[in-house]
Amino acid sequence: MKTLLVTGAAGFIGSHLVDRLLREGNRVVGIDNLLTGSKQNIMFALKHPNFTFIKQDIIDPILVRGGIDEIYNLACPASPEKYQADSIHTIQTSTIGVMNMLELARKKKAKILQASTSEVYGDPEIHPQVESYKGNVNPIGPRACYDEGKRIAETLCFEYRRVHQVLIKVVRIFNTYGPRMAYDDGRVVSNFIWAALHGKPITIYGDGSQTRSFCYVDDLVEGLIRMMESGTSVTGPINLGNPDEFTVAELAKKIQVMIGGKSVRVYKKLPIDDPKLRKPDITLAKKKIRWTPKVSLDEGLKKTIDYFKTQV
Ligand code: UDP
């Protein structure tokens, strides 16, 4: 039986990953500071005999007894609203926190998967985004705490590989959605669904012509596991995302049609440095880890809407 450490275990993606790893018969240690994650997300896991939960921040010194085979380092707020709320802490998470996890991987001789992001491409000048594109990030803008944080996190991973031969796996995660997103998470899918369900105005930033490509959480989790299980020469960075691209206005319309009701659309200023286009090129993921997302936006939205209907 393998022992796996998941940081950000009570978060949106982390909790789905934990459930799947437990179902597959692993022992899982989950770490979370419960800043944006919640115990409600790990209700199933907390009752499982093979799950141990540690409430702690990854920027604090960490001591885990016994062996660890693999580390999934997912801890970090991912919604612009949340990662900007305490920007310095976001930077600490991707620097001090990532170094703590890499040190742990080194000591335990564990493989480590680092969650990076499509935000390393910034407001991209090439479309779709391929891993070889070096990005267009504003280093002093309001998104930099996350974007530059994740860029240095990637650098740290590759230096730990070069200097200490740590087995690293870097994935760049594109917009992901599904059940267990917090209703007040601030990201577009949860905001639109929550507003439409409660007959509140749907707020579109800018004119709604900016695009995103939305990946259902189960597909993403499959990609994370495939990446972890790939051969040692596969380090990444590899894009994980659904290449089906939609404008934000199209997304709003879809959700309004699916939910019905009479929520109106209102328009607000586009936030500074908000990327205009985003769509992953997933050629590398298809080739190196044989991964391709399966769940269409319609199918995934339906499941997500059903989940939000159960939330008060
Ligand atoms: N957005 C919007 N209304 C909202 C939340 C977000 O129009 O209530 C837009 C946002 O400006 C961006 C896109 O939707 O262009 C995706 O935003 P999100 O915060 O989900 O993630 P991002 O891809 O920007 O990290």
Side-chain angles (χ1 to χ4, degrees):
M1 188 190 273
K2 279 194 291 192
T3 301
L4 316 176
L5 183 83
V6 178
T7 76
F12 158 52
I13 296 176
S15 66
H16 284 278
L17 175 67
V18 165
D19 286 356
R20 165 113 186 241
L21 295 172
L22 287 171
R23 278 203 303 275
E24 288 177 357
N26 300 290
R27 190 179 297 121
V28 180
V29 179
I31 294 182
D32 204 300
N33 62 3
L34 299 177
L35 195 71
T36 55
S38 76
K39 279 209 169 165
Q40 209 202 324
N41 287 343
I42 46 170
M43 293 293 260
F44 164 80
L46 286 170
K47 289 187 206 123
H48 201 289
N50 293 338
F51 183 66
T52 310
F53 181 68
I54 305 171
K55 181 179 179 296
Q56 106 139 63
D57 198 306
I58 61 162
I59 74 170
D60 297 324
I62 201 129
L63 188 92
V64 182
R65 271 180 244 285
I68 299 172
D69 300 295
E70 296 168 358
I71 301 172
Y72 288 88
N73 190 31
L74 308 186
C76 192
S79 158
E81 194 180 302
K82 301 291 178 196
Y83 68 62
Q84 288 169 18
D86 190 349
S87 52
I88 307 277
H89 183 251
T90 301
I91 297 170
Q92 289 173 318
T93 305
S94 292
T95 51
I96 302 166
V98 170
M99 274 182 80
N100 282 340
M101 287 306 128
L102 285 163
E103 279 298 325
L104 192 65
R106 183 163 81 95
K107 283 189 200 120
K108 303 279 185 185
K109 300 198 184 323
K111 253 193 273 186
I112 179 165
L113 179 145
Q114 173 62 33
S116 186
T117 169
S118 55
E119 288 277 332
V120 299
Y121 302 123
D123 191 4
E125 300 135 308
I126 66 147
H127 194 69
Q129 291 77 55
V130 280
E131 290 85 349
S132 55
Y133 175 51
K134 297 195 177 61
N136 177 34
V137 172
N138 174 3
I140 56 166
R143 298 174 88 98
C145 59
Y146 186 72
D147 301 8
E148 296 288 14
K150 290 288 188 178
R151 288 172 69 95
I152 194 72
E154 289 196 8
T155 310
L156 281 167
C157 289
F158 279 84
E159 289 309 328
Y160 266 75
R161 176 179 146 88
R162 268 189 279 270
V163 179
H164 298 301
Q165 294 77 48
V166 171
L167 283 175
I168 57 152
K169 308 272 175 195
V170 176
V171 289
R172 292 181 177 155
I173 301 174
F174 284 62
N175 297 66
T176 303
Y177 71 101
R180 297 187 188 161
M181 292 184 96
Y183 76 94
D184 60 351
D185 172 86
R187 275 177 287 191
V188 69
V189 174
S190 43
N191 272 7
F192 285 2
I193 293 177
W194 194 251
L197 282 176
H198 293 84
K200 298 214 168 89
I202 286 185
T203 311
I204 294 180
Y205 303 153
D207 61 5
S209 64
Q210 70 271 38
T211 69
R212 293 293 186 273
S213 308
F214 301 99
C215 187
Y216 189 66
V217 65
D218 290 353
D219 279 335
L220 200 273
V221 165
E222 176 67 31
L224 297 177
I225 291 172
R226 280 187 193 223
M227 183 64 173
M228 187 62 104
E229 286 171 357
S230 61
T232 50
S233 66
V234 183
T235 57
I238 283 184
N239 289 338
L240 290 182
N242 189 319
D244 291 344
E245 186 182 11
F246 297 87
T247 67
V248 164
E250 282 169 338
L251 177 75
K253 194 161 183 199
K254 235 179 213 308
I255 290 173
Q256 281 179 306
V257 170
M258 288 174 90
I259 293 180
K262 44 185 182 304
S263 54
V264 295
R265 296 195 218 175
V266 296
Y267 291 83
K268 275 195 185 164
K269 230 174 105 234
L270 191 69
I272 298 167
D273 294 335
D274 197 288
K276 313 288 176 304
L277 300 172
R278 185 182 290 153
K279 169 187 162 109
D281 181 315
I282 58 164
T283 312
L284 214 54
K286 282 183 184 159
K287 194 167 146 215
K288 299 275 184 192
I289 60 171
R290 310 224 164 276
W291 177 81
T292 181
K294 304 267 185 300
V295 182
S296 69
L297 184 58
D298 282 358
E299 208 183 325
L301 281 179
K302 191 183 171 308
K303 290 183 184 179
T304 311
I305 291 167
D306 287 346
Y307 167 79
F308 275 107
K309 282 182 182 162
T310 67
Q311 304 299 296
V312 272

